[in-house]
């Protein structure tokens, strides 16, 4: 009896978790001109409007390439740090972990402000995209670190020793033994990094250079003044893109995991 | 001996990029905030030369900021509580449930994290607005005559923030419960304990580290949330984080904005420390 | 085929002296075991030979040239790890090919060597399997094959049979030794299992506390242990305290003790009145009729199929272990006689 109550309770919470996303997607198909719920009829018209909206498309492109650059940098730095943390840190292990997790534990708002002040103080300001990339890398680093570290914890050091005994130098060992075996962690981290960078708001808000806009920024701007479902169409597309990226990566990862 | 030392030095290269990044672009910048909070406000420029404690005096002398800080802390506390009440059952179910729906359920819990904060907050404006989903349903069902005010007020902010941070409460608790050996529960049952007793005396104490982590994370995130309170509260209700950003970006008062930010951070940190101490003493966790 | 010489090798961790200036010469094609309890320094020594650890002082030479500064990957060793360390993301063939690819051998050569070595370890049909699909014994054979296929200078094995069950361990002992003999490669084998060391090795190096306690053939170690520690570690032993009655000019000494008077080879420090610890192996003691040997009573007995172990009490209360073939079974409480032939007594040390 109480078990059913419990299950229903949990079900309601799952609905609660999905609610806003589902609502946005549904609202995007609203045939009417105002953002009401339930929709006044179903139509793709707002997708068409959005399709012709240069501003939004530019923002999506910007978000994409910034996320791409961020992911690459974050994965390289994060993987190196994770390898150090799991295999070489020794007594510093906990310190390294806290330091790497710091961008996640500290409020994003404060980190954004801190970076803003800092880049002005050292003179580079926000005229270039550099501060934004640095901010994005900082925010995504913990995710790459966690994922790769988790993969590394299951990595057996005797594999490296065996490879050494067979004559493999450090780069060969990394390329042929370690990397293939931590690939799930790296890819998982890359996935998180990409999505987080794509969706992040506050850091981009504070550090953007003039004329540049990412999708979240553009959406926010739009939402403050407009009330048409066009924003819902943009949002739905963004959600859909994220889903595609996740599913494609799952398939790719899935194949790899099957191996061992 | 030589080889071992070189190996150690070489391995430092691995941590160097991350270490330098964290030091130069996290540690130093945070120090910059502290320094900035003592600078003299500028006229037309972000700040003027010289140092002062005036910003802090301004904060303490104006009750508006004190009240807003208090309100923000309250919002954070209520959100944390709501997340705990909603999140614990889900965490339990995910940790102990059977595997068929688990994958989907886990995906649902993660889904908010994979969708942008702006989009999520936007979704809540649709749900909570006067013309939004809830009100329209209530009115059409005849339960109320006029729209219930769920937006542009504290209630709306709490609801939306609870949604945003629920995964951050669920995941640590789920992880902690997973770490509890299931045979402990079997042992307790064999000794005659009821379900409620098992939860109270075995699960709760042992999952305390996860509960503690989830609460602290949720609280800190709620305090510093910007987008959600900005969209849901509009100009009617502002949290401290929103005020701070407005002060910095709209009115360019960097020194004062820094002081506000630090006051929020410090009060938040104090509460977190007290909470951590209390839960440590009572439940004996690390 | 390589000769290995270790000279005053030391590993000092500061807080702990793992290996204390050991020296030994391993001949071409010899199979030696480093035998000792955990912490005795045997694995550290092996790691230093392999190049995974750097000694604090001393020298290691392969065929006369010092390899101390040579990194592990360039020492041309073949190593078999306790947990096999097979690369999980490569097939058996892939694992075997790895070392050959490092040596940049042509594809045809790699293929033929892999085929040959798989045949040698009787896993020819498993070339395309993944390690996770193999049993423990099979994985161990692949690990051995992987170490041998590169035709290294020496073969190093770090307690390779520790994770296998008893029956499999016995089979693998024979298997490994046969292959080693066939290939004729110089081999260093680390183990804490003295039965393994005894059955497989040309020579056994017994180590305690970072030092070599005794080095010799299995027979020498067993029949003529150099110290009480070695005697206790290798096989079962009875240790008895006896008193020196007399020391003769011909190098023998007369002892008296719970077993009556015996005559053994004299050892350093022997003088009339001194106390000596003497060893006798349980299987060296025969159970005879009461009147024909030293009187004793059976306290308890343990039957293990091929052997019979008895706990026996002498007239003065001393307890001794006896091992015999179960041709004749005695019951608890029986009175029996004990008989030991004179050459089976082994004096160990003078007691302070």
């Amino acid at each position: 009896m109480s078990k059913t109550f419990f299950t229903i309770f949990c079900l309601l919470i799952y609905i609660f978790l999905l609610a806003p996303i589902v609502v946005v997607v549904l609202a995007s198909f609203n045939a009417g001109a105002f953002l009401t719920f339930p929709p006044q009829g179903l139509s793709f018209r707002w997708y068409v409007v959005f399709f012709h909206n240069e501003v939004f498309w530019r923002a999506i492109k910007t978000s994409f390439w910034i996320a791409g650059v961020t992911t690459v940098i974050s994965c390289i730095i994060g993987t190196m740090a994770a390898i150090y943390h799991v295999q070489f840190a020794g007594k510093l292990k906990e310190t390294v972990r806290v330091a790497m997790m710091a961008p996640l534990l500290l409020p994003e708002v404060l980190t954004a402000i801190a970076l803003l002040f800092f880049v002005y103080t050292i003179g580079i300001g926000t005229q270039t995209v550099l501060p934004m990339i640095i901010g994005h890398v900082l925010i995504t680093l913990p995710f790459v670190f966690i994922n790769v570290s988790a993969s590394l914890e299951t990595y057996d050091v005797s594999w490296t020793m065996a490879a050494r005994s067979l004559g493999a130098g450090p780069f060969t060992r990394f390329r042929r033994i370690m990397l293939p075996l931590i690939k799930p962690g790296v890819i998982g981290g890359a996935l998180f990094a990409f999505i987080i960078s794509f969706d992040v708001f506050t850091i981009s808000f504070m550090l953007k250079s003039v004329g540049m806009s990412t999708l979240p920024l553009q959406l926010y701007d739009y939402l403050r003044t407009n009330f048409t479902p066009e924003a819902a169409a943009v949002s739905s597309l963004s959600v859909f893109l994220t889903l595609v990226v996740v599913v494609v990566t799952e398939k790719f990862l899935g194949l790899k995991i099957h191996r061992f | 001996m030589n080889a071992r030392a070189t190996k150690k030095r070489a391995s430092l290269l691995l941590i160097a990029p991350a270490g330098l990044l964290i030091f130069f672009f996290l540690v130093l910048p945070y120090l910059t905030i502290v320094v900035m909070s003592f600078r003299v406000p500028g006229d037309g420029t972000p700040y003027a030369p010289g140092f002062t404690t005036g910003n802090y005096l301004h904060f303490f002398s104006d009750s508006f900021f004190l009240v807003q800080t208090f309100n923000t802390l309250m919002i954070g506390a209520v959100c944390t509580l709501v997340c705990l009440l909603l999140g614990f059952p889900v965490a339990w179910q995910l940790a102990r449930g059977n595997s068929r729906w688990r994958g989907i359920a886990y995906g649902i819990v993660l889904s908010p994290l994979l969708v942008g904060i702006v989009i999520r907050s936007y979704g809540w404006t649709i749900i909570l607005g006067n013309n939004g989903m809830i009100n329209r349903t209530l009115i059409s069902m005849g339960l109320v005559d006029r729209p219930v005010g769920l937006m542009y007020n504290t209630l709306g902010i709490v609801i939306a923030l609870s949604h945003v941070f629920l995964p951050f409460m669920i995941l640590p608790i789920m992880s902690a419960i997973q770490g509890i050996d299931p045979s402990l529960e079997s042992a307790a049952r064999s000794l005659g304990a009821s379900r409620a007793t098992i939860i109270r005396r075995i699960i709760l104490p042992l999952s305390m580290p996860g509960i503690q982590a989830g609460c602290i994370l949720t609280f800190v995130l709620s305090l510093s949330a910007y987008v959600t309170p900005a969209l849901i509260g509009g100009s009617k209700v502002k949290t401290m984080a929103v005020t701070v950003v407005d002060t910095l970006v709209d009115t360019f008062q960097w020194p004062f904005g820094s002081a506000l930010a630090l006051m929020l951070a410090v009060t938040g940190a104090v509460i977190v420390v007290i909470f951590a101490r209390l839960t440590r003493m009572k439940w004996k966790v690390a | 085929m390589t000769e290995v010489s270790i000279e005053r090798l030391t590993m000092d961790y500061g807080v702990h002296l793992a290996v204390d200036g050991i020296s030994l010469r391993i001949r071409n094609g010899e199979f030696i075991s480093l035998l000792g309890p955990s912490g005795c320094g045997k694995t550290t020594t092996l790691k230093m030979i392999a190049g995974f650890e750097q000694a604090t002082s001393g020298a290691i030479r392969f065929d006369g040239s010092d390899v101390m500064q040579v990194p592990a990957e360039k020492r041309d060793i073949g190593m078999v790890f306790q947990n096999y360390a097979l690369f999980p993301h490569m097939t058996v063939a892939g694992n075997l090919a790895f070392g050959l690819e490092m040596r940049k051998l042509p594809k045809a050569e790699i293929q033929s060597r892999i085929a040959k070595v798989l045949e040698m370890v009787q896993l020819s049909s498993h070339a395309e399997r993944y390690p996770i699909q193999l049993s423990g014994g099979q994985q161990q054979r692949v690990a051995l094959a992987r170490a041998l296929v590169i035709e290294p200078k020496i073969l190093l094995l770090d307690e390779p049979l520790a994770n296998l069950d008893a029956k499999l361990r016995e089979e693998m002992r024979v298997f490994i030794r046969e292959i080693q003999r066939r290939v004729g490669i110089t081999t260093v084998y680390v183990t804490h299992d003295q039965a393994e060391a005894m059955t497989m090795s040309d020579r056994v190096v017994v180590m305690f506390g970072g030092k070599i306690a005794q080095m010799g053939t299995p027979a020498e170690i067993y029949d003529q242990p150099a110290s009480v520690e070695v005697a206790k570690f290798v096989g079962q032993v009875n240790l008895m305290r006896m008193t020196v009655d007399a020391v003769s000019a011909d190098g023998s000494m007369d002892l008296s003790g719970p077993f009556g008077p015996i005559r053994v080879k004299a050892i350093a420090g022997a003088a009339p009145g001194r106390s000596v610890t003497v060893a006798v192996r349980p299987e060296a003691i025969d159970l005879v009729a009461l009147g024909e040997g030293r009187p004793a009573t059976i306290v308890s007995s343990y039957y293990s199929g091929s052997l019979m172990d008895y706990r026996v009490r002498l007239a003065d209360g001393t307890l001794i272990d006896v091992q015999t073939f179960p041709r004749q079974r005695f019951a608890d409480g029986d009175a029996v006689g004990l008989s030991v032939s004179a050459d089976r007594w082994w004096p160990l040390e003078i007691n302070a």
Side-chain angles (χ1 to χ4, degrees), chain C residues 8 17 52 64 102 122 127 131 161 171 186 217 239 255 268-269 275 297 312:
Chain C
R8 285 183 305 279
L17 184 58
F52 293 123
M102 294 304 110
Q122 294 158 29
L161 306 182
E171 287 170 16
T186 313
T217 64
L239 297 168
L255 307 174
S275 163
T297 327
V312 172

Side-chain angles (χ1 to χ4, degrees), chain A residues 27-102:
Chain A
S28 70
F29 293 109
N30 194 335
F34 292 103
L35 204 59
T36 57
F37 203 88
Q40 294 159 342
L42 294 179
S43 130
F44 276 104
R45 74 184 262 215
W46 297 108
Y47 283 92
V48 175
V49 172
F50 151 55
F51 200 78
H52 290 106
N53 192 329
E54 263 301 313
V55 178
F56 271 127
W57 280 113
R58 234 180 305 138
I60 291 180
K61 261 181 254 166
T62 310
S63 286
F64 242 104
W65 77 255
I66 290 185
V69 171
T70 301
T71 303
V72 170
I73 299 178
S74 215
C75 276
I76 295 177
I77 298 183
T79 302
M80 286 168 69
I83 296 177
Y84 178 81
H85 167 71
V86 175
Q87 298 195 339
F88 298 103
K91 274 179 258 177
L92 292 174
K93 199 165 184 184
E94 196 56 24
T95 318
V96 171
R97 197 184 69 90
V98 171
M100 292 301 292
M101 299 294 287

